[in-house]
Amino acid sequence: MKLSCIVRKQHYQFSSLKEVLAKASEEKSGDVMSGLAAHSALERMAAKVVLSELRLADIYENPVIPYEDDEVTRVIYDDLNLSIYNEIKDWTVGQLREYILSHKTGLPELTRISRGLTSEMISATAKLMSSLDLVLASQKMRFQAYCNTLIGEPGRLAFRCQPNHPTDDPEGILASIKEGLSYGSGDAVIGINPNNDTVESVSRLLHVSHEFIEKWEIPTQNCVLAHITTQMKALENGAPIALMFQSLAGTQKANEAFGVSKQILDEGMDMMYKIGTSVGPNVMYFETGQGSEVSLDAHCGVDMQTLEARTYGFARHWKPFMVNNVSGFIGPETLYDGRQVIRADLEDLFMGKLHGLPMGIAPTYTNHMHADQNDQEIAGILTAVAGANFYMGVPGGDDVMLSYQDTSYHDDASLREMLGLRPLREFEKWLEKMGIMEDGRLTERAGDLSLFD
């Protein structure tokens, strides 16, 4: 494995694959803070040159965290299709990039090859791509999943109605659900971030959202984004759950900090199959995002982008209905400004899709970052063109419970209208029955909460 090269008459020598991957990354404040980033643009370019010439077998034989030490590595390697891997193991990373971007390569080829790629290989390929490359490659891949609705069909764009409330007040949450639905948001899921993570409080919110969905015969799924063990207790006690949530990360150490493991996820999904309310078979909802391992001091010397790819390698084991990327949610210590957030959104959408996942994007930012609404809207448009399955729908784009900025109900409607996209099939029929949508466009009744009186 050659880990050196000469750029502009300067010799660059790297000590490991892990270092090459880190220094080939586009600049991110979290990698700089961890001491992993390239020291100059030339060193970054040298790392990209070295990376482009490495064989996929070099990467396979040198996981960034050893199999023996890390559960995420074990899940990724144990799920790999070795027949497909053996067909391509002598390709260089540069050749893989060319194959993905070739106009002769479509969804069937990418779906097959993805089963033979480790997450580090996918991260390495993304590091050799420009933003336009990432959009083009992502656009080729569209993966579907079914809970109570079918997500990921071409020509359709879904939204999670996110009716958070700072005190989990049921009346406040219901008002927000009605507003979101009245703008056509909620076909991906009606998903509430709870303030109170107790079984009793989470169960109450599950009952409130489920009963509203039942009363108005809405083709969607409910979810309360509490810790998975809280949801499992609530489910055991009879609470109606259609979709089970958990945040994931790319190292075992970070997942332990989240209080989650493969065993817990297996148990949660098994419970959903036995006593969950949804049709399935895709009953899990995961959220991810570059930087969580850094903020937990659990990055194990690996760059943020590669860890995010490993999170997708871990997530695909449970065949989720939704994977939502929320890079930008943490703050400037991981992604400093709008430029870094936009790049991370594009990388993550591509890497998640190349893992075969039904990906959504939340182009978020916090108010202490050097980013604003314009950056968020640019990220939203680019990732929508790249074929994200869904976005968030937050009242006014300002989350009153979590204090960060995300896409609003109005942004959702604009994205659909600009790109000629429709709601999920079953949900569109419901919107038409309610008089909210006609021929794919919102009617004059959109935004009128008296629809639910």
Side-chain angles (χ1 to χ4, degrees):
M1 184 168 62
K2 184 184 175 188
L3 296 178
S4 63
C5 72
I6 295 175
V7 176
R8 299 187 75 176
K9 299 181 181 179
Q10 188 168 339
H11 181 256
Y12 289 91
Q13 176 71 53
F14 301 97
S15 62
S16 65
L17 172 65
K18 191 190 291 192
E19 185 185 4
V20 173
L21 284 167
K23 292 192 169 175
S25 274
E26 296 299 311
E27 185 177 8
K28 312 265 176 62
S29 56
D31 291 333
V32 173
M33 186 175 69
S34 305
L36 302 173
H39 297 297
S40 67
L42 268 184
E43 188 182 27
R44 178 171 297 111
M45 182 53 65
K48 288 178 188 286
V49 169
V50 169
L51 191 59
S52 71
E53 295 171 351
L54 291 179
R55 295 178 309 137
L56 299 185
D58 296 327
I59 297 176
Y60 177 86
E61 291 162 7
N62 295 279
V64 292
I65 307 176
Y67 182 94
E68 298 74 20
D69 299 344
D70 188 277
E71 184 176 70
V72 174
T73 305
R74 290 194 288 278
V75 168
I76 292 168
Y77 274 69
D78 291 348
D79 285 351
L80 208 63
N81 183 303
L82 292 177
S83 296
I84 297 172
Y85 162 71
N86 282 320
E87 290 176 20
I88 59 175
K89 65 181 181 181
D90 291 324
W91 289 13
T92 65
V93 178
Q95 283 177 304
L96 176 59
R97 173 188 175 277
E98 296 303 310
Y99 178 79
I100 291 168
L101 292 173
S102 168
H103 69 271
K104 296 177 183 174
T105 305
L107 180 60
E109 293 82 10
L110 292 174
T111 303
R112 182 173 187 275
I113 203 173
S114 74
R115 297 171 58 214
L117 298 174
T118 66
S119 301
E120 282 93 332
M121 297 174 199
I122 292 172
S123 172
T125 311
K127 289 171 193 287
L128 301 184
M129 290 189 173
S130 69
S131 294
L132 192 61
D133 291 341
L134 292 168
V135 172
L136 180 64
S138 296
Q139 205 177 48
K140 295 183 180 190
M141 297 179 279
R142 197 77 191 243
F143 295 103
Q144 298 178 10
Y146 198 92
C147 189
N148 289 328
T149 52
L150 175 64
I151 201 165
E153 276 194 292
R156 298 191 181 272
L157 181 60
F159 298 100
R160 167 187 159 194
C161 178
Q162 187 172 309
N164 297 344
H165 190 278
T167 62
D168 289 346
D169 175 59
E171 289 304 314
I173 286 172
L174 278 174
S176 195
I177 290 175
K178 292 174 184 175
E179 185 184 11
L181 291 169
S182 73
Y183 282 110
S185 176
D187 42 354
V189 63
I190 294 175
I192 307 160
N193 290 99
N195 176 289
N196 186 337
D197 199 81
T198 62
V199 174
E200 294 73 21
S201 181
V202 168
S203 297
R204 182 167 59 252
L205 297 184
L206 285 164
H207 279 288
V208 165
S209 53
H210 175 76
E211 288 162 11
F212 187 83
I213 288 170
E214 289 285 296
K215 177 182 177 181
W216 291 94
E217 299 178 327
I218 307 167
T220 188
Q221 31 279 320
N222 74 330
C223 179
V224 173
L225 285 74
H227 192 269
I228 187 170
T229 53
T230 306
Q231 295 170 80
M232 289 163 69
K233 277 283 185 190
L235 186 59
E236 198 173 58
N237 293 345
I241 303 181
L243 200 55
M244 183 168 278
F245 167 82
Q246 181 56 45
S247 290
L248 299 180
T251 67
Q252 179 177 333
K253 188 177 178 184
N255 282 326
E256 286 171 352
F258 283 162
V260 66
S261 65
K262 179 179 181 297
Q263 181 182 346
I264 291 172
L265 290 164
D266 284 343
E267 290 173 4
M269 192 166 81
D270 186 54
M271 284 183 70
M272 286 297 292
Y273 281 147
K274 290 176 178 170
I275 53 176
T277 62
S278 54
V279 176
N282 308 108
V283 295
M284 303 298 282
Y285 170 13
F286 298 133
E287 284 199 347
T288 72
Q290 290 192 32
S292 57
E293 300 87 355
V294 173
S295 65
L296 293 166
D297 192 22
H299 58 78
C300 303
V302 182
D303 67 275
M304 295 197 306
Q305 185 193 331
T306 300
L307 291 176
E308 181 66 9
R310 285 167 53 86
T311 306
Y312 300 139
F314 191 57
R316 69 177 167 183
H317 181 77
W318 290 274
K319 299 179 172 53
F321 176 69
M322 301 167 61
V323 177
N324 181 34
N325 174 275
V326 289
S327 291
F329 183 82
I330 297 173
E333 63 270 36
T334 57
L335 296 170
Y336 179 73
D337 56 18
R339 181 184 179 194
Q340 293 187 11
V341 169
I342 292 168
R343 174 71 193 187
D345 284 339
L346 294 174
E347 291 167 352
D348 296 348
L349 183 61
F350 164 75
M351 296 193 301
K353 285 188 168 198
L354 196 51
H355 280 87
L357 292 169
M359 288 296 298
I361 286 285
T364 63
Y365 67 98
T366 59
N367 289 319
H368 60 315
M369 288 173 65
H370 193 62
D372 60 23
Q373 184 74 18
N374 293 319
D375 298 310
Q376 184 197 54
E377 292 181 5
I378 291 168
I381 293 168
L382 285 173
T383 50
V385 171
N389 275 4
F390 64 91
Y391 293 82
M392 299 297 104
V394 178
D398 186 359
D399 191 298
V400 295
M401 203 280 280
L402 294 168
S403 296
Y404 76 107
Q405 312 302 312
D406 209 328
T407 42
S408 70
Y409 299 142
H410 297 77
D411 296 333
D412 299 350
S414 298
L415 284 172
R416 277 188 184 139
E417 189 164 327
M418 283 190 302
L419 299 174
L421 300 171
R422 310 287 276 254
L424 299 190
R425 193 177 298 274
E426 310 91 330
F427 192 77
E428 182 176 4
K429 289 179 184 172
W430 179 81
L431 289 172
E432 289 173 347
K433 186 179 79 174
M434 294 292 291
I436 299 170
M437 181 167 275
E438 189 175 316
D439 296 329
R441 285 181 174 265
L442 292 175
T443 67
E444 294 295 323
R445 300 207 69 182
D448 180 0
L449 273 61
S450 69
L451 285 163
F452 299 102
D453 290 342

